[in-house]
Structures are given as structure tokens and as C-alpha cells.
Amino acid sequence: MNRRSLLKYAGAAALAGCATPQTFARETALAADLDAAVSRFMAANYTPGLALAVYSADGVYTRGFGVTDLATGQRANADTAFYIASSTKALTSLALARLHHRRELDLDSTLAAYAPDAPFPDAVRADEVRLRQMLCHTSGIDNGPIGFRSAFSGQHDAETLWRLLANSEVNADAPLGTFEYTNIGYNIATVLTDRMLGVRWQDLLDREVFGPLGMSRSSARMSRAMRGGWSIAKPHQMDVSGAPQRLTLEKNDQTMQSAGGVILSANDAVRWLELMVRDGRVGGAQIVEPEIIAATRQRLAQQDSEFAGYRREAYGLGWNIGPYHDTTMYHHFGGFAGFAAHVSYIPEAGVGVAALANDSSTGQSVIHGIANYAYDRVLGRSDATARLDAALSQADAQRSRGVQRIEQDRANRAGRQWTLTRPRQAYAGVYESEAWGRIEVNVEGEALRVQFGALHAVAEPFTQPNSIRVELIPGQGEPILFTGDGDQPDGLR
């Protein structure tokens, strides 16, 4: 369903185990203004597609704009599922908070007490670090292999991730009790809960969040959406012309992880926003206990930072906390190759906004600019239009800077010569790291193709002897150095 207007809230009806608003199909000035604001961004070709959901006490607005995929031209709508990257953390935390409330899980348990057989090194102090600290980024633990395999290569199963707990290290830059935002706390927390509860985190989200809220176009499994024939936004990123282009790197079940592994639609997002704004109620029905919502808002970790113009004073269970003008906003954004997500709400004002784009170049400027405009209009701020104009200018500037970076990067690489000292076939083969996984190098004519699980790229020259450059993640070039003194390379790094 594609709601084009901000609609008056009129009551509740049962649907998929929860209540949903009945509405009057009446156009409003606010709805027309939101349509016009988004259309300005879409006309400037900053992102192929966008989904917007606004919840307020006076009504809801959900709509999709543009296309899901430039290659097919399929239109986006309010049921199109967009990947929300790290905004997932707020959903994972909510599911675990519900278990804690029912005493099926103790978030105040130490890692060692909760999972005594977990092979953590002594140095990470598993007997002191608590599960709650894993969710608010104060655990002092790092683990590159688990983070990389879970989000990027997809080379893992439950036993592999359990074994890799032994690769955990002390985060020297942010020891226990110090806030540093990472994915790894969520990754490790759900490695533990998957095993100890006997329920995978994806199923917890279905059971504790998506099912009770009637979020029928939300999932932590891409395969479910594909089997169901859902409308799914595809990833795009700006090229040297400044226009978005389709990416080949896509999320799959193996790379959808608990710190960033959910797709959802505007129609589902508005239910989630209502739940958070209304202290666990949707359509008048109490879906989640208000104490649980209050627990997610607790200031568990202090921070003093700013991101995209938003001040961040603290972090709760899956939410950054900071001021928006003269009130408190809870927000979590997300970004990954091809996508950008803004999810936030202001309980004091009774309003929440989700803006989702299938572009990772100027998409961040777009979603924040639109979200701010929605808040400013609902809150009745006189500078709403001026701030929207500024956001459009910011997106223009971001695109110009992006084009300059791409041009400069291409110029820097254009003159490079191959430094490989052996025939191409000598580099072909399988290289495996117990911690990081398996890389395959294949020869295709004169080209070397590198496959690292879900990641793949054709190699370019690099500057060191016996090295290549690959963009396994679009826009992020990485060097690979072949090692060994004989006729055949014996490893890479």
C-alpha cells in the first residue's frame, strides 16, 4: 500500500497479532509538503530510490519514491524493503531486552557466567564484561575475524564463530568501560545467545519484534524476501559522472548480521516508530511492556560526539541519545555500500521518522535532510524550508567532493605498472587463514580475479613488489601482497 498523505489517526483494527491505524483518506498540507520536499531530492538524482515513514499523534505518512533498481526501473513503494545496516542494532537490542524482562536472559550476566565454555582469552576479562556492555559499546573487546566474516565475506557457521571467540583481543583504544562504537559487541553477543538459547538471532527478531508488530515486509534473511517475491531495493553508488550506478555487491543471508542485517519497508517502519514513541503501544494495543521501552532509553554509555549534524551525548540499548533543538532525540543511522538509513524518534513530541535510500554516496545527506524537514514541519519550526534548502546544497557539495575524489583516485592509479614478478598462473590458487578465511585467486586471460567469500573483484596493479589492488568493497581499495621466495607464492597478506 502506498499512502501519499499524512492521514488522520482514527482507531485500531487487528492485523497480524497487533493493531493498525484506520485512516481518513484526506490530503493535508503537511503531506503535500513532504511529497514536494522528497521530490526535490529525487529530481536532483541523488539516489535512485527512497522510502519515508513519519509517525505522529496526528497521523502517519508512508511512501516510496523512485526505483528499486536502475537496471530494471521497478518502482519503489511503501512496501519496498530497504537494507538498514546499523539501524538494525536498535531492533536486536529490543529483542534481547524483551528476553531480559521475562528473565529468559540476564543482560547483567558476565560473558563467562552466561557462556562458561566460550573460549575467550583471559586478557579480555570475560569474567567482568557484561552482556549489556556488548550492546552499548563499552566491552573493551575487539575481534576482527568475527566482524569481517559476519558482515563481509560470509565465510562462517555457528561452530566457526564460536571457535573464533578465541581470537578476541583487548581494544587498546577503548578498554572496558570506555565507549567506542563497533559492530563486534552485537556480533559476539548473538554468537553467545544463538548457542545458549538454541535460537538464532534472526528468529528472535521474528518472534519478538516483526511478528508481534505485524511487520510483514521486514526480515533478517534476504532469502525470505526473495522467496516471497518482495519488492527489494538494490544497492547503488555514485560513479565519476556523479550519477548513481548499480553495485554488484549485495547482502545475502550469510552477511546479514546482528549489528547490521535487517531489511524493512516504510509501512513496517511506521509501526516500529509508533511502538517506540508510544511506549510499546501500536494502534492502542500494548505490544511491548513500557518498562522495556524505557530500558532501551537508559543512558548506559557516555559519549561526546557529532555525526551528520546530530549531537550524541549518550548511548542506550541500540540508540544514540542527544538533543534535537530543545528536545531529546533517540536515533540510529546505518550505512553500507549502496545504502543509507535514518531511524529516529522524539517521544516528548510524539513523532518519529525513518528515511531510507538505496545509495551510499549522497544518500546520507538526502535522508538526514528529509528527516530534519519532517521533524521541523511537525514541530512547527519557521526555519524548516531554509534548513531543507541547506540540506540540498549540502548534498550538491557532497556529490562534487565525491566526484573529485573519484577523479583523483583514478588519476593516481592510472600510471601504475604491474609489479608481479612471475607469470599470472603462478599466483592462482587458494590461500587460507584460520582466522580470516579463504581467498581464491583465479586467472582469466591476463586478469586476476579475487574471490573472498561473498566479495569478489578483478585485480589492478599496486605499488609494492608482488602486490595487487582489489576493491572487494566498492570504493574501498585494498592491497594484497604475495609472499614467498620460491617459484610459487606461499601466502598473501
Side-chain angles (χ1 to χ4, degrees):
M1 182 174 60
N2 201 7
R3 300 175 189 169
R4 294 177 178 269
S5 58
L6 189 77
L7 302 169
K8 281 292 184 181
Y9 185 83
L15 176 65
C18 72
T20 189
Q22 293 178 350
T23 56
F24 297 115
R26 181 173 63 81
E27 295 291 334
T28 68
L30 178 54
D33 286 351
L34 290 173
D35 283 351
V38 177
S39 296
R40 290 178 67 186
F41 283 98
M42 300 306 296
N45 199 27
Y46 294 122
T47 178
L50 185 135
L52 178 61
V54 180
Y55 173 82
S56 79
D58 293 327
V60 299
Y61 172 106
T62 60
R63 188 178 174 188
F65 296 81
V67 299
T68 65
D69 186 347
L70 285 173
T72 66
Q74 181 187 45
R75 303 298 300 176
N77 58 58
D79 279 328
T80 297
F82 283 72
Y83 176 62
I84 64 169
S86 286
S87 300
T88 296
K89 293 179 176 70
L91 293 165
T92 302
S93 287
L94 177 60
L96 296 180
R98 295 199 74 188
L99 269 60
H100 177 81
H101 184 76
R102 296 199 302 265
R103 299 186 179 180
E104 297 174 20
L105 172 70
D106 183 4
L107 290 178
D108 295 311
S109 173
T110 66
L111 305 187
Y114 181 66
D117 295 334
F120 288 108
D122 291 341
V124 303
R125 298 156 64 182
D127 58 343
E128 298 180 47
V129 179
R130 302 186 183 279
L131 285 170
R132 192 182 302 275
Q133 291 176 297
M134 306 303 292
L135 304 181
C136 65
H137 309 293
T138 59
S139 71
I141 297 177
D142 196 9
N143 191 311
I146 287 180
F148 179 77
R149 287 174 181 253
S150 298
F152 295 101
S153 75
Q155 293 181 335
H156 63 84
D157 56 23
E159 290 305 316
T160 298
L161 295 179
W162 186 262
R163 171 179 61 80
L164 288 172
L165 292 173
N167 288 73
S168 299
E169 300 175 330
V170 173
N171 184 340
D173 296 327
L176 177 60
T178 305
F179 178 87
E180 183 178 82
Y181 180 81
T182 68
N183 282 346
I184 198 59
Y186 282 75
N187 295 155
I188 289 178
T190 52
V191 168
L192 300 182
T193 57
D194 281 4
R195 191 178 186 98
M196 305 309 293
L197 297 173
V199 181
R200 296 195 66 183
W201 68 271
Q202 297 96 325
D203 297 318
L204 285 179
L205 286 182
D206 286 340
R207 188 183 79 190
E208 302 295 333
V209 183
F210 303 147
L213 268 67
M215 296 170 68
S216 61
R217 286 296 182 269
S218 299
S219 184
R221 291 186 171 94
M222 291 299 299
S223 59
R224 178 188 173 198
M226 295 174 70
R227 284 196 308 270
W230 295 9
S231 172
I232 306 170
K234 300 298 184 180
H236 297 77
Q237 189 166 283
M238 182 177 69
D239 69 0
V240 71
S241 73
Q245 298 293 322
R246 178 77 153 79
L247 297 182
T248 58
L249 175 63
E250 293 192 50
K251 282 288 182 178
N252 59 37
D253 286 1
Q254 285 295 102
T255 58
M256 296 279 274
Q257 37 88 29
S258 59
V262 162
I263 55 173
L264 88 165
S265 67
N267 280 337
D268 282 357
V270 83
R271 291 176 170 276
W272 178 22
L273 294 170
E274 181 177 2
L275 181 90
M276 301 309 298
V277 168
R278 295 299 167 201
D279 299 327
R281 295 188 301 276
V282 178
Q286 193 75 51
I287 306 300
V288 174
E289 293 82 352
E291 308 94 284
I292 296 175
I293 303 301
T296 66
R297 297 174 185 163
Q298 291 180 355
R299 296 178 176 236
L300 301 175
Q302 297 304 306
Q303 54 173 322
D304 181 13
S305 63
E306 182 173 312
F307 182 85
Y310 298 88
R311 288 292 306 157
R312 294 173 169 178
E313 299 173 343
Y315 196 91
L317 280 180
W319 295 100
N320 290 287
I321 306 168
Y324 186 81
H325 299 306
D326 56 355
T327 188
T328 299
M329 171 187 280
Y330 299 83
H331 67 269
H332 212 301
F333 308 146
F336 190 79
F339 291 98
H342 172 122
V343 182
S344 63
Y345 72 103
I346 302 175
E348 182 181 339
V351 61
V353 177
L356 317 172
N358 58 343
D359 173 85
S360 54
S361 300
T362 52
Q364 289 285 347
S365 293
V366 172
I367 58 174
H368 300 316
I370 290 170
N372 288 342
Y373 180 73
Y375 279 117
D376 292 346
R377 285 287 284 108
V378 171
L379 297 174
R381 291 187 58 88
S382 61
D383 61 349
T385 299
R387 281 163 50 82
L388 178 67
D389 292 341
L392 281 155
S393 296
Q394 182 179 6
D396 258 340
Q398 184 179 8
R399 177 159 57 190
S400 296
R401 290 192 299 270
V403 168
Q404 290 173 5
R405 282 195 299 269
I406 295 172
E407 289 176 339
Q408 184 61 56
D409 182 54
R410 289 189 176 184
N412 291 340
R413 288 153 41 204
R416 290 179 182 171
Q417 301 296 315
W418 288 101
T419 62
L420 301 177
T421 59
R422 304 175 181 88
R424 295 288 193 270
Q425 197 60 44
Y427 299 92
V430 175
Y431 303 83
E432 192 151 6
S433 161
E434 185 175 343
W436 292 94
R438 173 190 178 102
I439 295 180
E440 296 181 34
V441 179
N442 295 298
V443 178
E444 299 177 358
E446 286 298 304
L448 291 176
R449 178 172 290 277
V450 176
Q451 186 86 31
F452 201 167
L455 307 174
H456 58 88
V458 174
E460 299 176 1
F462 194 59
T463 55
Q464 294 177 258
N466 280 313
S467 68
I468 57 177
R469 175 190 182 273
V470 290
E471 282 195 14
L472 296 171
I473 302 168
Q476 299 181 31
E478 296 287 344
I480 292 178
L481 175 64
F482 293 92
T483 62
D485 297 325
D487 294 333
Q488 183 82 15
D490 59 18
L492 52 77
R493 60 182 175 87

